[in-house]
Amino acid sequence: QVQLAESGGGLVQTGGSLRLSCAASGSTFSNYAVGWFRQAPGKEREFVGRITRSGDSTLYADSVKGRFTISRDNAKNTVYLQMNSLKPEDTAVYYCAAVFRLRTGVRRDEYDYWGKGTQVTVSS
């Protein structure tokens, strides 16, 4: 079992930056790949990016590639989502999720555990 808690969301202006954190507890965090997803009002939850157990590989959605960076510190049981050059269309609730056996990491149904989310609002 893994418990996940996101933090770091807030209100930021267009072009600004935020760093989200996903803190894990309850199991050996380094055994899990982690993904970030987001859900805007009235829309489906969509893939943002994912990172492997060791952090040696990341994958991003085209919409955030070059602006967002995922990293992890397994000693601190934490995964980060650095978001730069934010746009109003990045406004959403951001969720982290963990999976023991990574496949593509792109689909929601691949993940075993989810956090409750943190709100990110980008003003124009």
Side-chain angles (χ1 to χ4, degrees):
Q1 289 279 345
V2 176
Q3 292 80 46
L4 302 172
E6 303 91 342
S7 62
L11 174 64
V12 64
Q13 291 185 332
T14 297
S17 297
L18 280 175
R19 188 177 79 158
L20 306 185
S21 298
C22 173
S25 61
S27 187
T28 304
F29 187 53
S30 59
N31 287 341
Y32 294 83
V34 172
W36 284 96
F37 289 76
R38 66 186 182 185
Q39 188 167 17
K43 294 189 176 181
E44 294 283 318
R45 192 172 299 188
E46 66 174 4
F47 171 75
V48 172
R50 66 98 175 115
I51 189 166
T52 52
R53 297 176 180 183
S54 64
D56 62 346
S57 174
T58 54
L59 178 69
Y60 299 96
D62 287 344
S63 59
V64 306
K65 202 173 294 182
R67 300 188 297 122
F68 290 12
T69 303
I70 300 174
S71 61
R72 67 189 298 162
D73 185 340
N74 284 337
K76 295 183 178 180
N77 289 347
T78 303
V79 169
Y80 304 99
L81 177 64
Q82 178 67 46
M83 306 186 295
N84 298 328
S85 303
L86 283 161
K87 305 174 182 180
E89 51 264 43
D90 295 317
T91 295
V93 177
Y94 283 71
Y95 300 87
C96 63
V99 60
F100 182 76
R101 198 177 304 276
L102 180 68
R103 287 168 283 174
T104 71
V106 174
R107 300 198 322 269
R108 290 173 293 170
D109 62 4
E110 295 183 42
Y111 290 85
D112 302 315
Y113 306 101
W114 290 83
K116 294 183 178 180
T118 185
Q119 176 70 48
V120 171
T121 303
V122 184
S123 64
S124 57

mmCIF file of all heavy atoms in Angstrom, residues 51-97:
data_model
loop_
_atom_site.group_PDB
_atom_site.id
_atom_site.type_symbol
_atom_site.label_atom_id
_atom_site.label_comp_id
_atom_site.label_asym_id
_atom_site.label_seq_id
_atom_site.Cartn_x
_atom_site.Cartn_y
_atom_site.Cartn_z
ATOM 1 N N ILE A 51 7.457 9.138 -14.457
ATOM 2 C CA ILE A 51 8.867 8.886 -14.195
ATOM 3 C C ILE A 51 9.022 7.458 -13.692
ATOM 4 O O ILE A 51 8.165 6.944 -12.972
ATOM 5 C CB ILE A 51 9.430 9.913 -13.182
ATOM 6 C CG1 ILE A 51 10.946 9.803 -13.055
ATOM 7 C CG2 ILE A 51 8.752 9.786 -11.816
ATOM 8 C CD1 ILE A 51 11.574 10.994 -12.340
ATOM 9 N N THR A 52 10.088 6.802 -14.090
ATOM 10 C CA THR A 52 10.334 5.426 -13.680
ATOM 11 C C THR A 52 10.789 5.350 -12.224
ATOM 12 O O THR A 52 11.020 6.375 -11.575
ATOM 13 C CB THR A 52 11.392 4.783 -14.583
ATOM 14 O OG1 THR A 52 12.548 5.643 -14.618
ATOM 15 C CG2 THR A 52 10.870 4.602 -16.000
ATOM 16 N N ARG A 53 10.924 4.144 -11.725
ATOM 17 C CA ARG A 53 11.282 3.927 -10.324
ATOM 18 C C ARG A 53 12.582 4.624 -9.951
ATOM 19 O O ARG A 53 12.689 5.252 -8.901
ATOM 20 C CB ARG A 53 11.483 2.428 -10.068
ATOM 21 C CG ARG A 53 10.280 1.580 -10.261
ATOM 22 C CD ARG A 53 10.659 0.129 -10.078
ATOM 23 N NE ARG A 53 9.525 -0.768 -10.244
ATOM 24 C CZ ARG A 53 9.595 -2.073 -10.071
ATOM 25 N NH1 ARG A 53 10.743 -2.644 -9.722
ATOM 26 N NH2 ARG A 53 8.521 -2.807 -10.239
ATOM 27 N N SER A 54 13.552 4.479 -10.818
ATOM 28 C CA SER A 54 14.869 5.032 -10.497
ATOM 29 C C SER A 54 15.011 6.481 -10.916
ATOM 30 O O SER A 54 15.969 7.152 -10.534
ATOM 31 C CB SER A 54 15.954 4.206 -11.189
ATOM 32 O OG SER A 54 15.806 4.314 -12.590
ATOM 33 N N GLY A 55 14.081 6.951 -11.718
ATOM 34 C CA GLY A 55 14.166 8.314 -12.225
ATOM 35 C C GLY A 55 14.980 8.449 -13.485
ATOM 36 O O GLY A 55 15.252 9.571 -13.926
ATOM 37 N N ASP A 56 15.365 7.317 -14.093
ATOM 38 C CA ASP A 56 16.238 7.400 -15.251
ATOM 39 C C ASP A 56 15.489 7.641 -16.548
ATOM 40 O O ASP A 56 16.121 7.865 -17.595
ATOM 41 C CB ASP A 56 17.087 6.125 -15.374
ATOM 42 C CG ASP A 56 16.236 4.885 -15.591
ATOM 43 O OD1 ASP A 56 15.004 4.955 -15.382
ATOM 44 O OD2 ASP A 56 16.794 3.840 -15.951
ATOM 45 N N SER A 57 14.168 7.621 -16.488
ATOM 46 C CA SER A 57 13.388 7.828 -17.707
ATOM 47 C C SER A 57 12.124 8.593 -17.392
ATOM 48 O O SER A 57 11.426 8.305 -16.419
ATOM 49 C CB SER A 57 13.039 6.484 -18.343
ATOM 50 O OG SER A 57 12.167 6.661 -19.444
ATOM 51 N N THR A 58 11.825 9.577 -18.217
ATOM 52 C CA THR A 58 10.592 10.336 -18.091
ATOM 53 C C THR A 58 9.880 10.381 -19.439
ATOM 54 O O THR A 58 10.498 10.189 -20.494
ATOM 55 C CB THR A 58 10.846 11.777 -17.616
ATOM 56 O OG1 THR A 58 11.814 12.396 -18.488
ATOM 57 C CG2 THR A 58 11.342 11.819 -16.189
ATOM 58 N N LEU A 59 8.586 10.625 -19.377
ATOM 59 C CA LEU A 59 7.764 10.722 -20.579
ATOM 60 C C LEU A 59 6.743 11.823 -20.325
ATOM 61 O O LEU A 59 6.194 11.907 -19.221
ATOM 62 C CB LEU A 59 7.052 9.394 -20.847
ATOM 63 C CG LEU A 59 6.115 9.332 -22.047
ATOM 64 C CD1 LEU A 59 6.922 9.417 -23.342
ATOM 65 C CD2 LEU A 59 5.295 8.051 -22.014
ATOM 66 N N TYR A 60 6.495 12.654 -21.329
ATOM 67 C CA TYR A 60 5.594 13.790 -21.153
ATOM 68 C C TYR A 60 4.547 13.837 -22.253
ATOM 69 O O TYR A 60 4.801 13.441 -23.393
ATOM 70 C CB TYR A 60 6.387 15.100 -21.179
ATOM 71 C CG TYR A 60 7.413 15.203 -20.082
ATOM 72 C CD1 TYR A 60 8.739 14.865 -20.310
ATOM 73 C CD2 TYR A 60 7.061 15.637 -18.806
ATOM 74 C CE1 TYR A 60 9.690 14.930 -19.305
ATOM 75 C CE2 TYR A 60 8.002 15.720 -17.793
ATOM 76 C CZ TYR A 60 9.309 15.361 -18.047
ATOM 77 O OH TYR A 60 10.242 15.436 -17.043
ATOM 78 N N ALA A 61 3.408 14.408 -21.892
ATOM 79 C CA ALA A 61 2.418 14.733 -22.909
ATOM 80 C C ALA A 61 2.954 15.852 -23.791
ATOM 81 O O ALA A 61 3.714 16.708 -23.331
ATOM 82 C CB ALA A 61 1.118 15.163 -22.242
ATOM 83 N N ASP A 62 2.534 15.845 -25.039
ATOM 84 C CA ASP A 62 3.005 16.879 -25.966
ATOM 85 C C ASP A 62 2.667 18.284 -25.478
ATOM 86 O O ASP A 62 3.419 19.230 -25.717
ATOM 87 C CB ASP A 62 2.395 16.653 -27.344
ATOM 88 C CG ASP A 62 2.992 15.459 -28.067
ATOM 89 O OD1 ASP A 62 4.070 14.983 -27.651
ATOM 90 O OD2 ASP A 62 2.373 14.994 -29.049
ATOM 91 N N SER A 63 1.539 18.406 -24.801
ATOM 92 C CA SER A 63 1.071 19.724 -24.368
ATOM 93 C C SER A 63 1.969 20.366 -23.311
ATOM 94 O O SER A 63 1.918 21.580 -23.107
ATOM 95 C CB SER A 63 -0.352 19.625 -23.830
ATOM 96 O OG SER A 63 -0.404 18.723 -22.751
ATOM 97 N N VAL A 64 2.788 19.565 -22.640
ATOM 98 C CA VAL A 64 3.643 20.114 -21.568
ATOM 99 C C VAL A 64 5.127 19.917 -21.844
ATOM 100 O O VAL A 64 5.969 20.426 -21.087
ATOM 101 C CB VAL A 64 3.290 19.501 -20.200
ATOM 102 C CG1 VAL A 64 1.801 19.660 -19.912
ATOM 103 C CG2 VAL A 64 3.707 18.040 -20.110
ATOM 104 N N LYS A 65 5.442 19.206 -22.907
ATOM 105 C CA LYS A 65 6.842 18.904 -23.211
ATOM 106 C C LYS A 65 7.636 20.187 -23.378
ATOM 107 O O LYS A 65 7.198 21.128 -24.064
ATOM 108 C CB LYS A 65 6.908 18.058 -24.478
ATOM 109 C CG LYS A 65 8.164 17.248 -24.645
ATOM 110 C CD LYS A 65 8.056 16.325 -25.845
ATOM 111 C CE LYS A 65 6.998 15.265 -25.655
ATOM 112 N NZ LYS A 65 6.915 14.329 -26.810
ATOM 113 N N GLY A 66 8.789 20.232 -22.730
ATOM 114 C CA GLY A 66 9.632 21.424 -22.802
ATOM 115 C C GLY A 66 9.302 22.475 -21.756
ATOM 116 O O GLY A 66 10.077 23.409 -21.542
ATOM 117 N N ARG A 67 8.161 22.333 -21.093
ATOM 118 C CA ARG A 67 7.772 23.292 -20.037
ATOM 119 C C ARG A 67 7.746 22.650 -18.657
ATOM 120 O O ARG A 67 8.033 23.307 -17.665
ATOM 121 C CB ARG A 67 6.389 23.875 -20.341
ATOM 122 C CG ARG A 67 6.299 24.620 -21.648
ATOM 123 C CD ARG A 67 4.958 25.341 -21.791
ATOM 124 N NE ARG A 67 3.819 24.419 -21.809
ATOM 125 C CZ ARG A 67 2.812 24.469 -20.930
ATOM 126 N NH1 ARG A 67 2.787 25.384 -19.989
ATOM 127 N NH2 ARG A 67 1.819 23.604 -21.022
ATOM 128 N N PHE A 68 7.380 21.381 -18.598
ATOM 129 C CA PHE A 68 7.257 20.661 -17.322
ATOM 130 C C PHE A 68 8.383 19.646 -17.197
ATOM 131 O O PHE A 68 8.799 19.038 -18.188
ATOM 132 C CB PHE A 68 5.929 19.921 -17.245
ATOM 133 C CG PHE A 68 4.703 20.781 -17.107
ATOM 134 C CD1 PHE A 68 4.739 22.148 -17.299
ATOM 135 C CD2 PHE A 68 3.485 20.202 -16.788
ATOM 136 C CE1 PHE A 68 3.602 22.933 -17.173
ATOM 137 C CE2 PHE A 68 2.328 20.963 -16.664
ATOM 138 C CZ PHE A 68 2.391 22.335 -16.865
ATOM 139 N N THR A 69 8.833 19.448 -15.971
ATOM 140 C CA THR A 69 9.882 18.463 -15.696
ATOM 141 C C THR A 69 9.524 17.672 -14.452
ATOM 142 O O THR A 69 9.190 18.262 -13.410
ATOM 143 C CB THR A 69 11.238 19.150 -15.477
ATOM 144 O OG1 THR A 69 11.566 19.935 -16.619
ATOM 145 C CG2 THR A 69 12.333 18.110 -15.252
ATOM 146 N N ILE A 70 9.606 16.354 -14.565
ATOM 147 C CA ILE A 70 9.357 15.481 -13.419
ATOM 148 C C ILE A 70 10.698 14.963 -12.907
ATOM 149 O O ILE A 70 11.571 14.556 -13.690
ATOM 150 C CB ILE A 70 8.471 14.290 -13.811
ATOM 151 C CG1 ILE A 70 7.119 14.777 -14.345
ATOM 152 C CG2 ILE A 70 8.252 13.357 -12.619
ATOM 153 C CD1 ILE A 70 6.244 13.671 -14.881
ATOM 154 N N SER A 71 10.844 14.975 -11.597
ATOM 155 C CA SER A 71 12.032 14.414 -10.962
ATOM 156 C C SER A 71 11.601 13.715 -9.675
ATOM 157 O O SER A 71 10.458 13.845 -9.245
ATOM 158 C CB SER A 71 13.057 15.507 -10.663
ATOM 159 O OG SER A 71 12.509 16.473 -9.776
ATOM 160 N N ARG A 72 12.520 12.970 -9.102
ATOM 161 C CA ARG A 72 12.183 12.298 -7.850
ATOM 162 C C ARG A 72 13.398 12.211 -6.948
ATOM 163 O O ARG A 72 14.543 12.175 -7.419
ATOM 164 C CB ARG A 72 11.610 10.911 -8.099
ATOM 165 C CG ARG A 72 12.526 9.889 -8.667
ATOM 166 C CD ARG A 72 11.752 8.619 -9.062
ATOM 167 N NE ARG A 72 11.120 7.979 -7.912
ATOM 168 C CZ ARG A 72 10.122 7.094 -8.014
ATOM 169 N NH1 ARG A 72 9.630 6.782 -9.211
ATOM 170 N NH2 ARG A 72 9.613 6.544 -6.940
ATOM 171 N N ASP A 73 13.104 12.178 -5.649
ATOM 172 C CA ASP A 73 14.121 11.981 -4.630
ATOM 173 C C ASP A 73 13.643 10.813 -3.783
ATOM 174 O O ASP A 73 12.800 10.993 -2.887
ATOM 175 C CB ASP A 73 14.281 13.254 -3.797
ATOM 176 C CG ASP A 73 15.405 13.154 -2.788
ATOM 177 O OD1 ASP A 73 15.819 12.032 -2.456
ATOM 178 O OD2 ASP A 73 15.863 14.192 -2.316
ATOM 179 N N ASN A 74 14.144 9.641 -4.066
ATOM 180 C CA ASN A 74 13.660 8.445 -3.358
ATOM 181 C C ASN A 74 14.052 8.452 -1.885
ATOM 182 O O ASN A 74 13.372 7.850 -1.057
ATOM 183 C CB ASN A 74 14.166 7.188 -4.049
ATOM 184 C CG ASN A 74 13.407 6.895 -5.336
ATOM 185 O OD1 ASN A 74 12.274 7.335 -5.528
ATOM 186 N ND2 ASN A 74 14.033 6.147 -6.240
ATOM 187 N N ALA A 75 15.116 9.138 -1.552
ATOM 188 C CA ALA A 75 15.498 9.240 -0.141
ATOM 189 C C ALA A 75 14.466 10.036 0.648
ATOM 190 O O ALA A 75 14.295 9.824 1.854
ATOM 191 C CB ALA A 75 16.870 9.889 -0.011
ATOM 192 N N LYS A 76 13.768 10.934 -0.033
ATOM 193 C CA LYS A 76 12.728 11.745 0.609
ATOM 194 C C LYS A 76 11.327 11.246 0.272
ATOM 195 O O LYS A 76 10.344 11.886 0.647
ATOM 196 C CB LYS A 76 12.865 13.204 0.172
ATOM 197 C CG LYS A 76 14.145 13.870 0.639
ATOM 198 C CD LYS A 76 14.180 15.335 0.242
ATOM 199 C CE LYS A 76 15.444 16.010 0.766
ATOM 200 N NZ LYS A 76 15.506 17.442 0.386
ATOM 201 N N ASN A 77 11.242 10.140 -0.461
ATOM 202 C CA ASN A 77 9.936 9.581 -0.850
ATOM 203 C C ASN A 77 9.063 10.629 -1.537
ATOM 204 O O ASN A 77 7.849 10.718 -1.273
ATOM 205 C CB ASN A 77 9.193 9.016 0.372
ATOM 206 C CG ASN A 77 9.823 7.743 0.888
ATOM 207 O OD1 ASN A 77 10.660 7.137 0.219
ATOM 208 N ND2 ASN A 77 9.441 7.350 2.085
ATOM 209 N N THR A 78 9.653 11.389 -2.420
ATOM 210 C CA THR A 78 8.935 12.497 -3.044
ATOM 211 C C THR A 78 9.233 12.565 -4.542
ATOM 212 O O THR A 78 10.383 12.371 -4.955
ATOM 213 C CB THR A 78 9.304 13.832 -2.383
ATOM 214 O OG1 THR A 78 9.026 13.760 -0.986
ATOM 215 C CG2 THR A 78 8.493 14.977 -2.975
ATOM 216 N N VAL A 79 8.187 12.858 -5.296
ATOM 217 C CA VAL A 79 8.307 13.142 -6.725
ATOM 218 C C VAL A 79 7.859 14.583 -6.945
ATOM 219 O O VAL A 79 6.917 15.057 -6.296
ATOM 220 C CB VAL A 79 7.448 12.175 -7.559
ATOM 221 C CG1 VAL A 79 7.358 12.627 -9.009
ATOM 222 C CG2 VAL A 79 8.024 10.764 -7.489
ATOM 223 N N TYR A 80 8.530 15.254 -7.854
ATOM 224 C CA TYR A 80 8.255 16.665 -8.121
ATOM 225 C C TYR A 80 7.783 16.862 -9.552
ATOM 226 O O TYR A 80 8.201 16.141 -10.470
ATOM 227 C CB TYR A 80 9.518 17.493 -7.897
ATOM 228 C CG TYR A 80 10.113 17.328 -6.524
ATOM 229 C CD1 TYR A 80 11.185 16.474 -6.305
ATOM 230 C CD2 TYR A 80 9.597 18.028 -5.435
ATOM 231 C CE1 TYR A 80 11.724 16.302 -5.049
ATOM 232 C CE2 TYR A 80 10.135 17.868 -4.169
ATOM 233 C CZ TYR A 80 11.197 16.998 -3.978
ATOM 234 O OH TYR A 80 11.731 16.843 -2.730
ATOM 235 N N LEU A 81 6.943 17.865 -9.709
ATOM 236 C CA LEU A 81 6.545 18.312 -11.041
ATOM 237 C C LEU A 81 6.838 19.806 -11.116
ATOM 238 O O LEU A 81 6.125 20.617 -10.517
ATOM 239 C CB LEU A 81 5.059 18.042 -11.286
ATOM 240 C CG LEU A 81 4.511 18.538 -12.633
ATOM 241 C CD1 LEU A 81 5.183 17.806 -13.790
ATOM 242 C CD2 LEU A 81 2.989 18.357 -12.705
ATOM 243 N N GLN A 82 7.916 20.136 -11.808
ATOM 244 C CA GLN A 82 8.272 21.537 -12.019
ATOM 245 C C GLN A 82 7.549 22.034 -13.253
ATOM 246 O O GLN A 82 7.723 21.469 -14.347
ATOM 247 C CB GLN A 82 9.784 21.674 -12.187
ATOM 248 C CG GLN A 82 10.252 23.091 -12.472
ATOM 249 C CD GLN A 82 10.042 24.019 -11.293
ATOM 250 O OE1 GLN A 82 10.351 23.671 -10.162
ATOM 251 N NE2 GLN A 82 9.518 25.214 -11.550
ATOM 252 N N MET A 83 6.771 23.082 -13.087
ATOM 253 C CA MET A 83 5.967 23.613 -14.183
ATOM 254 C C MET A 83 6.405 25.039 -14.474
ATOM 255 O O MET A 83 6.287 25.910 -13.602
ATOM 256 C CB MET A 83 4.484 23.574 -13.817
ATOM 257 C CG MET A 83 3.997 22.196 -13.386
ATOM 258 S SD MET A 83 2.215 22.118 -13.119
ATOM 259 C CE MET A 83 2.058 23.230 -11.714
ATOM 260 N N ASN A 84 6.903 25.260 -15.662
ATOM 261 C CA ASN A 84 7.349 26.582 -16.090
ATOM 262 C C ASN A 84 6.504 27.068 -17.262
ATOM 263 O O ASN A 84 5.810 26.282 -17.906
ATOM 264 C CB ASN A 84 8.818 26.521 -16.511
ATOM 265 C CG ASN A 84 9.737 26.106 -15.385
ATOM 266 O OD1 ASN A 84 9.486 26.403 -14.217
ATOM 267 N ND2 ASN A 84 10.820 25.416 -15.720
ATOM 268 N N SER A 85 6.590 28.355 -17.529
ATOM 269 C CA SER A 85 5.857 28.962 -18.656
ATOM 270 C C SER A 85 4.391 28.551 -18.644
ATOM 271 O O SER A 85 3.836 28.130 -19.664
ATOM 272 C CB SER A 85 6.505 28.553 -19.987
ATOM 273 O OG SER A 85 7.863 28.926 -20.020
ATOM 274 N N LEU A 86 3.774 28.688 -17.504
ATOM 275 C CA LEU A 86 2.402 28.225 -17.352
ATOM 276 C C LEU A 86 1.435 29.042 -18.186
ATOM 277 O O LEU A 86 1.616 30.257 -18.395
ATOM 278 C CB LEU A 86 2.005 28.256 -15.882
ATOM 279 C CG LEU A 86 2.580 27.087 -15.059
ATOM 280 C CD1 LEU A 86 2.555 27.402 -13.579
ATOM 281 C CD2 LEU A 86 1.808 25.817 -15.351
ATOM 282 N N LYS A 87 0.402 28.344 -18.652
ATOM 283 C CA LYS A 87 -0.621 28.941 -19.503
ATOM 284 C C LYS A 87 -1.987 28.754 -18.837
ATOM 285 O O LYS A 87 -2.162 27.820 -18.038
ATOM 286 C CB LYS A 87 -0.641 28.232 -20.861
ATOM 287 C CG LYS A 87 0.689 28.188 -21.574
ATOM 288 C CD LYS A 87 0.594 27.345 -22.837
ATOM 289 C CE LYS A 87 1.929 27.260 -23.541
ATOM 290 N NZ LYS A 87 1.837 26.434 -24.785
ATOM 291 N N PRO A 88 -2.958 29.569 -19.186
ATOM 292 C CA PRO A 88 -4.296 29.380 -18.611
ATOM 293 C C PRO A 88 -4.848 27.972 -18.838
ATOM 294 O O PRO A 88 -5.566 27.440 -17.976
ATOM 295 C CB PRO A 88 -5.128 30.437 -19.334
ATOM 296 C CG PRO A 88 -4.154 31.522 -19.640
ATOM 297 C CD PRO A 88 -2.872 30.808 -19.984
ATOM 298 N N GLU A 89 -4.502 27.366 -19.948
ATOM 299 C CA GLU A 89 -4.998 26.010 -20.222
ATOM 300 C C GLU A 89 -4.352 24.942 -19.357
ATOM 301 O O GLU A 89 -4.751 23.775 -19.401
ATOM 302 C CB GLU A 89 -4.828 25.659 -21.704
ATOM 303 C CG GLU A 89 -3.449 25.889 -22.251
ATOM 304 C CD GLU A 89 -3.314 27.247 -22.961
ATOM 305 O OE1 GLU A 89 -3.824 28.268 -22.430
ATOM 306 O OE2 GLU A 89 -2.687 27.272 -24.040
ATOM 307 N N ASP A 90 -3.371 25.307 -18.558
ATOM 308 C CA ASP A 90 -2.805 24.384 -17.578
ATOM 309 C C ASP A 90 -3.619 24.342 -16.295
ATOM 310 O O ASP A 90 -3.331 23.529 -15.403
ATOM 311 C CB ASP A 90 -1.365 24.772 -17.241
ATOM 312 C CG ASP A 90 -0.423 24.641 -18.417
ATOM 313 O OD1 ASP A 90 -0.509 23.641 -19.155
ATOM 314 O OD2 ASP A 90 0.423 25.551 -18.587
ATOM 315 N N THR A 91 -4.611 25.200 -16.186
ATOM 316 C CA THR A 91 -5.461 25.225 -14.998
ATOM 317 C C THR A 91 -6.195 23.903 -14.842
ATOM 318 O O THR A 91 -6.885 23.443 -15.764
ATOM 319 C CB THR A 91 -6.475 26.381 -15.088
ATOM 320 O OG1 THR A 91 -5.768 27.620 -15.064
ATOM 321 C CG2 THR A 91 -7.460 26.323 -13.934
ATOM 322 N N ALA A 92 -6.034 23.278 -13.683
ATOM 323 C CA ALA A 92 -6.624 21.955 -13.437
ATOM 324 C C ALA A 92 -6.296 21.528 -12.015
ATOM 325 O O ALA A 92 -5.463 22.155 -11.341
ATOM 326 C CB ALA A 92 -6.070 20.928 -14.414
ATOM 327 N N VAL A 93 -6.921 20.451 -11.602
ATOM 328 C CA VAL A 93 -6.482 19.742 -10.407
ATOM 329 C C VAL A 93 -5.438 18.729 -10.859
ATOM 330 O O VAL A 93 -5.683 17.958 -11.794
ATOM 331 C CB VAL A 93 -7.644 19.032 -9.700
ATOM 332 C CG1 VAL A 93 -7.131 18.246 -8.492
ATOM 333 C CG2 VAL A 93 -8.705 20.041 -9.264
ATOM 334 N N TYR A 94 -4.292 18.746 -10.209
ATOM 335 C CA TYR A 94 -3.193 17.862 -10.566
ATOM 336 C C TYR A 94 -3.105 16.719 -9.567
ATOM 337 O O TYR A 94 -3.118 16.946 -8.349
ATOM 338 C CB TYR A 94 -1.879 18.643 -10.603
ATOM 339 C CG TYR A 94 -1.746 19.481 -11.849
ATOM 340 C CD1 TYR A 94 -2.528 20.622 -12.030
ATOM 341 C CD2 TYR A 94 -0.855 19.126 -12.853
ATOM 342 C CE1 TYR A 94 -2.429 21.371 -13.190
ATOM 343 C CE2 TYR A 94 -0.740 19.884 -14.012
ATOM 344 C CZ TYR A 94 -1.537 21.000 -14.173
ATOM 345 O OH TYR A 94 -1.431 21.751 -15.326
ATOM 346 N N TYR A 95 -2.981 15.515 -10.104
ATOM 347 C CA TYR A 95 -2.926 14.306 -9.303
ATOM 348 C C TYR A 95 -1.621 13.555 -9.570
ATOM 349 O O TYR A 95 -1.183 13.476 -10.725
ATOM 350 C CB TYR A 95 -4.069 13.370 -9.648
ATOM 351 C CG TYR A 95 -5.444 13.922 -9.432
ATOM 352 C CD1 TYR A 95 -6.088 14.656 -10.429
ATOM 353 C CD2 TYR A 95 -6.117 13.704 -8.232
ATOM 354 C CE1 TYR A 95 -7.352 15.164 -10.239
ATOM 355 C CE2 TYR A 95 -7.390 14.205 -8.031
ATOM 356 C CZ TYR A 95 -8.008 14.934 -9.037
ATOM 357 O OH TYR A 95 -9.264 15.423 -8.837
ATOM 358 N N CYS A 96 -1.066 12.966 -8.532
ATOM 359 C CA CYS A 96 0.001 11.995 -8.759
ATOM 360 C C CYS A 96 -0.549 10.597 -8.497
ATOM 361 O O CYS A 96 -1.519 10.426 -7.751
ATOM 362 C CB CYS A 96 1.228 12.266 -7.901
ATOM 363 S SG CYS A 96 1.005 12.145 -6.123
ATOM 364 N N ALA A 97 0.071 9.630 -9.143
ATOM 365 C CA ALA A 97 -0.366 8.243 -9.046
ATOM 366 C C ALA A 97 0.858 7.343 -9.085
ATOM 367 O O ALA A 97 1.876 7.697 -9.692
ATOM 368 C CB ALA A 97 -1.317 7.907 -10.187
#
